[in-house]
Amino acid sequence: MAAEPPSSASPGHFALERGAAVAPRAGLLSTGHGVVRTPAFMPVGTQGTVKGLSPADLRAAGTQILLSNTYHLMLRPGAELIRSFGGLHHFMAWDGPILTDSGGYQILSLKERVKITEEGVAFRSHLDGRPELLTPERAMEIQADLGVDIAVTLDHAILLPASPEEVRDAGERTIRWTERSLGHAKTLDTPTGLPQLHFAIVQGGGDPALRAEMAARTAAMACDGFCLGGLSVGETKEETWILAAAATAALPADRPRYLMGMGTPIDLLDGIARGIDLFDCVLPTRNARNGMAFTHEGPINIRNAAHARDPRPLDAECGCEACAEFSRAYLRHLHVAGEILAHRMLTLHNVTFYQTLMAGARAAIERGAYDEYHRAVTHRYRERAAASGDSGPGGREPSGDNS
Ligand SMILES: [Zn+2]
């Protein structure tokens, strides 16, 4: 069946700077709060904050766009309150683009507190047990109240393993909910009056054919971009990329693709090689609070005794405040002593590292040398990570840092 190429809801919001190249791609994503140069990584600010970092810190780290969370903000402090402050940008004092995910995945993680019907997702708040109902329409209303630049449609996420019937059922419901979400979003306005882009989630479980079908059917709708959902939920990495490739092959080149909730630095580079434009992941921020720093030579764990007398910065090639000012020895001391500054500095460093990695990827795409960049960065990162951890002045740790 030959259909007209579907148009996005906001034509012209995404421009590929490398023509129609499928992968890797360098693009410009235009939003109400500025242009995002893709590929781009979104730090996770679940509660309207990237834990420990101010908006100025995020800017200094090279962050272009943030991710926040519909589910958490609807429960606390509430979308109405944030709207009364002129939207999330004003409320949190971040004037760059913001994307919110629709909450489907977070609600799913509540497990026994959830009931999914055609109407929507009924659940109990993890804060006070209050019953809540998130419908596709309500998810878009909340995100309009938040005034975010990119809102995501509600999907029916499932946990694997699931039967083929369950996966198909959830996929079909996601398609119906996407239609309802996009239809209702057109009737809403934001507190800033700025336009909002609407991204739709492509599901399909662990079956590449179903992934491709769901991608093609989603692409037939007037959404502004696509989210690849339900990946990296227990399948092998190889399977993840097969599923992602099945979906992206069925998506039009002229709208952005966002791989939800993944991953490591190497995952990002592998994803870019497969035509992914946007990423988010909690790893750089969550692992920072556990003492892990990502570096060009692989991850290190600042808790290791090897760092106790190490005068070097976390990463000699990093220009962040943590690397400019502090030794590994001092940061280790702070971490071991439970000092807040350790969390803040490692978070700042890790976000800077991710953004530097992405900027390097984009520059490599622009000069037509992405394969070399991908290979060289991966080799160095893995070689060091595999070398059983640290070999700094303090000696070596047997357990290594490559967690
Ligand atoms: Zn740094």
Side-chain angles (χ1 to χ4, degrees):
M1 210 167 45
E4 282 291 299
S7 60
S8 61
S10 306
H13 69 283
F14 187 65
L16 280 175
E17 292 200 307
R18 284 204 65 205
V22 173
R25 309 146 38 109
L28 297 175
L29 173 60
S30 299
T31 78
H33 286 84
V35 175
V36 179
R37 292 159 61 86
T38 62
F41 174 77
M42 301 182 281
V44 177
T46 299
Q47 310 269 10
T49 174
V50 176
K51 293 186 197 316
L53 299 187
S54 69
D57 291 335
L58 290 164
R59 282 287 183 207
T63 300
Q64 304 181 75
I65 176 171
L66 290 185
L67 177 139
S68 197
N69 190 275
T70 298
Y71 166 77
H72 286 277
L73 294 178
M74 74 181 273
L75 297 180
R76 183 178 59 194
E80 179 277 325
L81 183 145
I82 292 175
R83 186 175 185 109
S84 77
F85 275 79
L88 185 56
H89 296 83
H90 291 287
F91 192 53
M92 68 178 289
W94 165 259
D95 62 1
I98 302 174
L99 176 149
T100 35
D101 68 16
S102 55
Y105 182 75
Q106 278 73 29
I107 294 170
L108 180 74
S109 67
L110 300 172
K111 295 193 179 100
E112 71 277 7
R113 292 164 163 242
V114 180
K115 185 168 176 7
I116 293 178
T117 64
E118 193 59 26
E119 187 187 8
V121 188
F123 63 97
R124 286 187 177 275
S125 162
H126 73 281
L127 297 175
D128 58 10
R130 194 173 62 217
E132 300 273 355
L133 178 66
L134 189 64
T135 63
E137 293 80 10
R138 182 78 189 116
M140 302 317 284
E141 287 166 7
I142 293 165
Q143 294 176 87
D145 284 344
L146 298 177
V148 296
D149 302 283
I150 304 174
V152 170
T153 57
L154 187 66
D155 65 325
H156 179 177
I158 54 168
L159 294 171
L160 297 176
S163 71
E165 293 74 26
E166 288 171 311
V167 175
R168 163 64 69 176
D169 183 57
E172 295 290 345
R173 182 164 295 108
T174 296
I175 294 282
R176 293 192 295 275
W177 284 5
T178 303
E179 285 170 346
R180 282 169 56 187
S181 296
L182 293 173
H184 192 61
K186 282 188 261 180
T187 70
L188 305 172
D189 65 350
T190 60
T192 57
L194 291 168
Q196 190 174 57
L197 300 175
H198 303 116
F199 282 20
I201 300 184
V202 175
Q203 287 286 356
D207 176 2
L210 188 59
R211 285 264 166 197
E213 179 195 325
M214 291 298 162
R217 289 169 63 188
T218 308
M221 296 185 224
C223 58
D224 299 303
F226 306 96
C227 313
L228 304 186
L231 290 171
S232 199
V233 290
E235 77 278 13
T236 66
K237 201 76 86 184
E238 194 180 345
E239 288 167 335
T240 299
W241 292 127
I242 290 170
L243 295 168
T248 54
L251 295 174
D254 63 355
R255 282 180 272 173
R257 301 90 175 261
Y258 156 35
L259 178 60
M260 304 180 92
M262 190 179 158
T264 67
I266 302 305
D267 289 339
L268 266 54
L269 297 184
D270 291 349
I272 291 168
R274 291 165 170 86
I276 303 295
D277 306 299
L278 284 172
F279 302 86
D280 82 284
C281 190
V282 296
L283 275 185
T285 42
R286 189 179 60 197
N287 286 15
R289 299 192 299 278
N290 294 327
M292 184 200 272
F294 292 94
T295 82
H296 286 89
E297 301 192 328
I300 63 171
N301 194 324
I302 202 66
R303 284 176 301 191
N304 281 357
H307 305 297
R309 292 175 179 274
D310 193 336
R312 296 176 301 165
L314 292 173
D315 187 331
E317 292 168 39
C318 179
C320 84
E321 186 184 357
C323 293
E325 301 289 341
F326 303 125
S327 64
R328 292 185 182 189
Y330 180 64
L331 292 170
R332 177 177 187 274
H333 160 67
L334 293 182
H335 184 86
V336 171
E339 287 292 333
I340 293 169
L341 187 60
H343 295 188
R344 200 172 96 71
M345 285 295 114
L346 261 67
T347 303
L348 179 65
H349 167 75
N350 281 351
V351 173
T352 304
F353 176 79
Y354 266 61
Q355 302 300 5
T356 304
L357 188 75
M358 299 303 269
R362 196 182 198 284
I365 295 169
E366 285 170 353
R367 62 176 190 269
Y370 185 73
D371 286 353
E372 287 164 68
Y373 177 81
H374 186 188
R375 204 165 33 240
V377 172
T378 302
H379 177 74
R380 189 174 165 207
Y381 186 90
R382 286 208 171 124
E383 185 181 63
R384 182 67 168 77
S388 70
D390 305 290
S391 53
R396 293 175 61 167
E397 282 291 292
S399 58
D401 284 324
N402 53 338
S403 53

